[in-house]
Amino acid sequence: MATPTEGEPFAEAAGEAVQSAVMSVRLIMAIADAVRRQQQRQKKGTEEELPPAEQAATDAKEELKDLLPADISVALLKGADWPQLAQQMMALKKAGVDLEQLLPRVGEIAVTVRDQVAANEQRIARDGTGQWEKLLRETLPAGPVREAILSSPTWPDIAATMGRLDERGVDVRQILADAHDEGLGVDRAIGKVLAAGEAPPASRDALLSWGPLTTGLDTPANLDLGDRVRALRQLSISLQENERYVRLVKEAMPGREQDANLMVTAKQWPLVAARMAKMESEGKPLADHLAGLMKDTSWEKGPGTFGSRLAHAAAHVLSHPPGEAPAVGRPVVSTAAARSQSSTVGPIKPHAVKGAAPSERGVAPHREAVPAAKSGKTR
């Protein structure tokens, strides 16, 4: 879309469209910067300082050449917040992000926004009360990007920008989905650079939880199960979602609500809730899986606390097709295997650790076979 010349009747609307595109660029860069900060906090315990504004503005201007549409690029450079945006861009580059790969994709998103606004003849009123956190949780999957956005000190500004874009007729859900993909790229790029240095060890909770409770989940290496609210936030679960999962468990255990209460107050409960959230996002029937808790009640007796045993049993039935979960065996945590895998502080990617620590060096823990309880069979 060419920029209209002075005096054209649509000049004002076109100018608004370009400004909306600029806002989308700022939103995506703010999300990318939030991911950068999160990565550095997790792996180094602190954020790297932003480069000097004046030098960053000069360097970033060079980076923008031919990477963004001319009208959007000019509008960015004229914006009052250009020095801050430039600092974010150069901080990302310093952290290991290839701006020549990132900026063209951001430009494509900005062009889409610009054209959406230009085609929208009148603004539409915002629906609802601006529950942007709810929209974010509905749109983005649980993981490092969503956690970085919601835990960022700039989240209120990000939410306000989403509201303004929505008022101008922009599909904010699509913007978030596109920004999420770029955020993952930023997460990986920065993770590679930071992983090259020495990283602090995984938390005790992350080590002790390694095994059936965390198989297939994105669990942060600094997991803090001692703080229930923080643990739920680390696992990208809202308090409202947690309350719903608690209700589902109680409904699956009619007449044994007190037992269910012991499970949901157990230290391991956030991991069970995280598994339920993952399954729900995949469209799996939680109620059918949880029904297995009443079919195999071997969790009533055994080592450990009652709530802990029931939490492991819940993770067990959730990890198998309804009605096909084998008898529950005693979970064994391989702390040695966990330590050998905890080279970074970022969210741990899905692992399939199911059994005890390997008896020989060099054998990956996820290759170990797990004997079915009392069956005498081995793989």
Side-chain angles (χ1 to χ4, degrees):
M1 182 183 74
T3 303
T5 59
E6 184 177 358
E8 288 186 354
F10 298 109
E12 183 177 350
E16 181 181 340
V18 171
Q19 288 304 315
S20 296
V22 168
M23 287 169 60
S24 72
V25 173
R26 290 172 182 154
L27 173 61
I28 295 170
M29 297 305 295
I31 290 174
D33 187 61
V35 173
R36 174 189 67 81
R37 292 171 183 271
Q38 177 79 354
Q39 273 275 9
Q40 291 174 341
R41 284 198 303 270
Q42 287 186 336
K43 292 183 170 61
K44 302 177 69 175
T46 185
E47 301 172 10
E48 292 186 6
E49 293 184 2
L50 293 172
E54 185 175 350
Q55 184 61 46
T58 300
D59 295 341
K61 183 177 180 180
E62 290 297 317
E63 295 287 346
L64 283 179
K65 283 185 176 179
D66 302 323
L67 295 182
L68 291 181
D71 54 348
I72 296 174
S73 179
V74 169
L76 279 172
L77 294 173
K78 290 182 177 179
D81 62 346
W82 165 243
Q84 179 184 355
L85 182 61
Q87 286 179 300
Q88 291 177 341
M89 289 174 54
M90 301 317 297
L92 287 168
K93 182 177 182 179
K94 182 180 178 182
V97 177
D98 187 347
L99 295 182
E100 291 188 2
Q101 294 289 329
L102 175 65
L103 290 178
R105 293 194 293 266
V106 174
E108 292 176 3
I109 298 169
V111 168
T112 299
V113 171
R114 181 191 64 190
D115 294 347
Q116 282 182 336
V117 176
N120 192 34
E121 296 182 354
Q122 59 181 3
R123 298 181 181 182
I124 58 174
R126 285 177 60 191
D127 295 329
T129 58
Q131 299 295 327
W132 296 114
E133 180 173 349
K134 180 175 183 295
L135 174 67
L136 193 74
R137 292 185 181 280
E138 291 175 349
T139 305
L140 303 188
V145 176
R146 195 170 85 179
E147 180 184 350
I149 297 170
L150 293 176
S151 63
S152 171
T154 62
W155 163 242
D157 294 333
I158 294 174
T161 301
M162 291 162 61
R164 290 194 295 272
L165 286 171
D166 181 66
E167 288 178 338
R168 299 185 182 200
V170 176
D171 185 350
V172 178
R173 287 181 181 271
Q174 186 59 51
I175 293 293
L176 286 175
D178 291 337
H180 173 264
D181 293 339
E182 301 311 319
L184 287 180
V186 170
D187 181 80
R188 286 191 291 267
I190 297 175
K192 288 179 181 179
V193 174
L194 295 177
E198 184 178 355
S203 68
R204 176 177 174 80
D205 284 337
L207 291 174
L208 294 180
S209 300
W210 193 276
L213 279 176
T214 58
T215 298
L217 298 180
D218 283 338
T219 51
N222 63 341
L223 182 64
D224 182 8
L225 294 176
D227 185 332
R228 172 61 57 88
V229 174
R230 184 186 180 198
L232 290 172
R233 190 171 188 85
Q234 285 182 304
L235 296 167
S236 298
I237 300 172
S238 69
L239 296 180
Q240 292 76 16
E241 289 172 324
N242 180 63
E243 291 175 359
R244 182 157 50 81
Y245 298 144
V246 169
R247 185 172 64 253
L248 286 174
V249 167
K250 291 182 178 180
E251 291 173 353
M253 301 178 66
R256 306 200 66 166
E257 288 78 7
Q258 291 185 349
D259 293 341
N261 282 333
L262 291 175
M263 172 170 61
V264 300
T265 56
K267 189 176 184 180
Q268 299 89 349
W269 165 253
L271 293 171
V272 178
R275 187 169 301 281
M276 294 173 70
K278 181 176 184 294
M279 294 176 64
E280 189 173 51
S281 69
E282 296 169 350
K284 296 181 179 179
L286 291 179
D288 293 347
H289 283 266
L290 291 172
L293 289 171
M294 298 300 289
K295 296 178 181 178
D296 174 12
T297 58
S298 56
W299 41 264
E300 292 177 330
K301 298 180 180 180
T305 64
F306 188 92
S308 176
R309 292 199 306 271
L310 190 47
H312 279 87
H316 182 70
V317 297
L318 289 169
S319 301
H320 294 83
E324 298 181 20
V328 180
R330 180 182 179 182
V332 180
V333 175
S334 171
T335 55
R339 291 190 185 95
S340 71
Q341 297 290 330
S342 59
S343 59
T344 68
V345 182
I348 302 172
K349 298 302 177 185
H351 293 283
V353 180
K354 297 182 180 178
S359 59
E360 298 181 8
R361 293 174 60 86
V363 179
H366 64 279
R367 300 295 185 187
E368 289 296 301
V370 184
K374 301 181 182 181
S375 67
K377 296 181 181 180
T378 58
R379 291 176 60 185

